[in-house]
Amino acid sequence: MNQQDKQTTRVKEGAFHLPGFLSLPEQERIASLCLELGKNAAGFYQPVLRSGAKMRLRMMCLGRHWNAKTYNYELHRSDVDGLAVQPIPATLAKLAERAATLADFIVRPDILLVNWYGKDGRLGLHQDKDERPETLQAGIPVVSFSIGDTCEFIFGGLSRSDPRKKIALHSGDAFVFGGPARLCFHGVGRVLPQTGPSGVWPSGRLNLTFRQF
Ligand code: MD3
Ligand code: FE
């Protein structure tokens, strides 16, 4: 079965779920690339928020670094170790552009946040609004790839108190959030241990979010 035969589910206006977008070989390739980059000096770290709370995940930013203290993007990791960020591999950016196209969006990703959730990994309800105002206003999408263990993805509306839905994100799934859904609240609930394809990711869940600054 090729990608043309797979479905693109519109979850709400501007929000698209592409189950099985990544083939198993693509997942393996992305996983090993992220593992390699993650071992470098400017690799994975555990972000500490301005509240002093540690985020319940390991993060690695490519292209630009998301500063967990200021919520700004920068070229050096000034809240971590001052190291320069590593570039986004062009092959990965191209894959994200292809996913966006299937949802009728155009994006040129220049930021890639790689999140590694362990078995107790979580990400509280939030909006992604630290990119340029022009990007947000134009509704240029965020593209996400999930690899490894399944998680419970939570997404709501434009207000924190809006009703939420839960969707299971499986290894190989892509999600595209743009247009009127670009500023929807979302988060990650439970990660379901040992649910990923064997031998692809060491443990837990890997998530890649491609963004345009
Ligand atoms: C909805 N990551 O890195 S990906 C994040 O699974 C983030 O690691 C989650 O939220 C994760 O900021 C969710 C799906 C996703 C990504 C971006 C969005 C959903 C989104 C942007 C706007 C609305
Ligand atoms: Fe987010």
Side-chain angles (χ1 to χ4, degrees):
M1 192 168 61
N2 61 30
Q3 179 58 41
Q4 282 75 37
D5 302 320
K6 291 179 189 167
Q7 48 182 338
T8 300
T9 306
R10 203 197 75 162
V11 179
K12 65 162 68 181
E13 182 86 42
F16 298 86
H17 182 199
L18 284 60
F21 173 76
L22 300 169
S23 68
L24 198 54
E26 283 171 332
Q27 294 171 52
E28 286 166 344
R29 195 159 168 286
I30 294 167
S32 67
L33 192 49
C34 289
L35 212 48
E36 276 312 305
L37 293 170
K39 286 175 189 161
N40 293 338
F44 285 111
Y45 60 96
Q46 190 173 15
V48 180
L49 298 168
R50 46 194 166 202
S51 63
K54 284 185 178 178
M55 291 181 75
R56 292 169 72 168
L57 48 78
R58 275 174 276 188
M59 188 179 283
M60 169 172 60
C61 306
L62 305 176
R64 283 177 197 256
H65 171 77
W66 180 75
N67 184 313
K69 292 263 159 61
T70 64
Y71 287 24
N72 291 320
Y73 284 108
E74 54 192 29
L75 299 178
H76 290 82
R77 321 193 314 175
S78 69
D79 61 324
V80 182
D81 48 21
L83 294 176
V85 294
Q86 306 182 80
I88 304 180
T91 49
L92 296 191
K94 290 293 165 207
L95 265 179
E97 289 176 16
R98 213 177 80 210
T101 301
L102 293 174
D104 285 330
F105 286 112
I106 292 179
V107 64
R108 296 303 308 259
D110 52 9
I111 301 168
L112 170 52
L113 303 192
V114 183
N115 288 345
W116 181 354
Y117 299 84
K119 65 179 190 300
D120 297 319
R122 283 279 192 292
L123 185 59
L125 202 69
H126 68 279
Q127 294 170 296
D128 292 7
K129 56 180 183 188
D130 302 328
E131 295 75 29
R132 289 164 64 238
E134 293 83 348
T135 300
L136 301 176
Q137 227 144 28
I140 295 174
V142 175
V143 175
S144 118
F145 292 168
S146 295
I147 293 173
D149 288 343
T150 302
C151 83
E152 187 179 76
F153 173 63
I154 301 158
F155 81 94
L158 296 175
S159 300
R160 182 173 283 277
S161 57
D162 285 345
R164 296 161 202 171
K165 287 187 188 177
K166 284 181 185 172
I167 291 189
L169 287 183
H170 297 100
S171 197
D173 289 4
F175 221 109
V176 181
F177 263 83
R182 181 62 176 77
L183 291 176
C184 283
F185 278 87
H186 60 280
V188 177
R190 321 173 76 79
V191 174
L192 310 176
Q194 315 275 14
T195 50
S198 61
V200 171
W201 187 248
S203 76
R205 170 173 180 262
L206 184 69
N207 182 261
L208 287 74
T209 55
F210 297 87
R211 299 140 192 268
Q212 187 170 317
F213 181 61

